[in-house]
C-alpha cells in the first residue's frame, strides 16, 4: 500500500549525529489470502477459488531516534528506530469466490467497522519500526520495516492479525538542515573543544 507523510527532525546533543524524528504518516496496510481447491474439495463446499483482501488505512505516529554516520560533506548513512502508534482511519474486506457447480463469479465488499467482536478492527494499533538508508543532500532514500505488537483485527475464527510492513521510501527535505556552529565562549575563533 501507500505510505505518505511528514517526518520532523530534532537534533539531540552536541555531536550532530543523534536526532529525534517524530512523524505523521498515512499508511495503507492489510492482508491478502487466496485459496484454490482441488476437485474433491470443490465439490464438497462448491467453491473452486476463494480470494479475500483486508485493506486497512491508518494514521501512524512514529517516534523514532536516529543516528547518522557521515559519508561526505552532504551525505550520510542513517539508522532510525522506535515505537509507533496507529489510529484506524478506514478499511474494507473484499471476498471473491468462483462456484464449482455453476462456474459463476461472486464478489462482495464490506466496510470494516471498529469495535469489539468478530469481524471488527481495533481503533488503535501499537508497534515498533525501523528505517535505514541514505541522506544525499536534500533527498532521503530508505528502506523500512514495522511490526505490530497487538492484533488489529478480530476474525470469526482463531487467528492472529498483527501488521508487518516492509517497504522503501523516497523523501525530500522541505528546508536545509541546520548547520551547528562549534561553541566559542571566549570568541577567539578557536572552538572550545580545541581551545587550550
Amino acid at each position: 500500500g501507500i505510505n505518505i507523510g511528514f517526518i520532523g527532525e530534532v537534533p539531540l546533543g552536541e555531536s550532530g549525529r543523534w536526532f529525534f524524528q517524530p512523524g505523521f504518516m498515512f499508511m495503507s496496510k492489510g492482508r491478502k489470502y487466496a485459496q484454490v481447491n482441488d476437485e474433491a474439495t470443490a465439490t464438497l463446499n462448491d467453491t473452486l477459488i476463494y480470494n479475500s483482501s483486508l485493506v486497512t488505512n491508518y494514521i501512524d505516529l512514529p517516534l523514532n531516534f536516529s543516528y547518522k554516520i557521515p559519508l561526505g560533506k552532504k551525505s550520510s548513512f542513517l539508522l532510525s528506530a522506535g515505537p509507533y502508534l496507529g489510529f484506524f482511519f478506514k478499511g474494507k474486506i473484499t471476498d471473491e469466490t468462483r462456484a464449482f457447480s455453476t462456474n459463476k463469479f461472486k464478489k462482495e465488499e464490506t466496510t470494516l467497522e471498529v469495535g469489539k467482536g468478530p469481524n471488527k478492527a481495533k481503533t488503535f494499533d501499537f508497534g515498533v519500526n525501523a528505517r535505514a538508508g541514505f541522506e544525499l543532500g536534500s533527498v532521503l532514500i530508505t528502506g523500512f520495516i514495522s511490526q505490530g505488537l497487538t492484533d488489529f483485527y478480530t476474525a470469526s475464527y482463531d487467528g492472529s492479525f498483527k501488521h508487518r510492513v516492509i517497504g522503501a521510501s523516497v523523501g525530500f527535505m522541505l528546508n536545509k538542515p541546520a548547520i551547528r556552529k562549534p561553541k566559542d565562549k571566549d570568541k577567539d575563533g578557536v572552538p572550545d573543544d580545541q581551545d587550550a
Side-chain angles (χ1 to χ4, degrees):
I2 191 167
N3 169 15
I4 188 167
F6 295 95
I7 296 175
E9 189 169 86
V10 179
L12 300 174
E14 296 294 322
S15 70
R17 291 189 178 191
W18 285 99
F19 298 88
F20 175 57
Q21 292 182 329
F24 181 86
M25 310 291 284
F26 173 84
M27 295 281 287
S28 181
K29 304 176 184 181
R31 77 169 195 128
K32 291 188 177 189
Y33 175 79
Q35 179 179 346
V36 178
N37 292 324
D38 60 15
E39 190 173 332
T41 307
T43 55
L44 293 173
N45 60 16
D46 197 29
T47 303
L48 185 60
I49 299 171
Y50 173 72
N51 294 320
S52 178
S53 68
L54 171 61
V55 177
T56 57
N57 297 315
Y58 285 84
I59 301 297
D60 278 357
L61 302 174
L63 301 169
N64 291 353
F65 291 93
S66 175
Y67 184 74
K68 295 183 182 181
I69 301 166
L71 299 175
K73 286 185 178 182
K74 294 186 176 183
S75 63
S76 59
F77 177 75
L78 70 92
L79 296 169
S80 177
Y84 76 84
L85 181 62
F87 299 92
F88 181 81
F89 183 63
K90 69 177 183 175
K92 72 176 180 177
I93 300 172
T94 305
D95 291 321
E96 301 172 340
T97 56
R98 183 170 297 278
F100 179 72
S101 58
T102 62
N103 201 31
K104 288 190 177 178
F105 179 76
K106 181 180 175 184
K107 181 177 180 178
E108 292 179 358
E109 284 190 358
T110 309
T111 301
L112 189 59
E113 295 180 9
V114 295
K116 293 184 179 181
N119 302 320
K120 296 202 186 246
K122 292 185 180 172
T123 308
F124 301 106
D125 180 41
F126 177 74
V128 293
N129 71 101
R131 186 175 294 269
F134 297 95
E135 186 177 290
L136 307 167
S138 296
V139 178
L140 188 68
I141 301 170
T142 60
F144 63 89
I145 184 169
S146 70
Q147 174 66 53
L149 299 176
T150 59
D151 286 330
F152 71 91
Y153 176 73
T154 304
S156 56
Y157 52 89
D158 287 338
S160 179
F161 292 85
K162 293 180 174 83
H163 285 301
R164 180 180 297 142
V165 179
I166 299 171
S169 65
V170 175
F172 304 96
M173 296 214 182
L174 298 179
N175 61 344
K176 292 182 180 179
I179 299 172
R180 293 182 155 252
K181 293 182 179 178
K183 288 186 180 182
D184 185 14
K185 290 181 183 175
D186 58 4
K187 309 274 190 232
D188 65 354
V190 180
D192 289 347
D193 61 350
Q194 298 171 6
D195 203 348

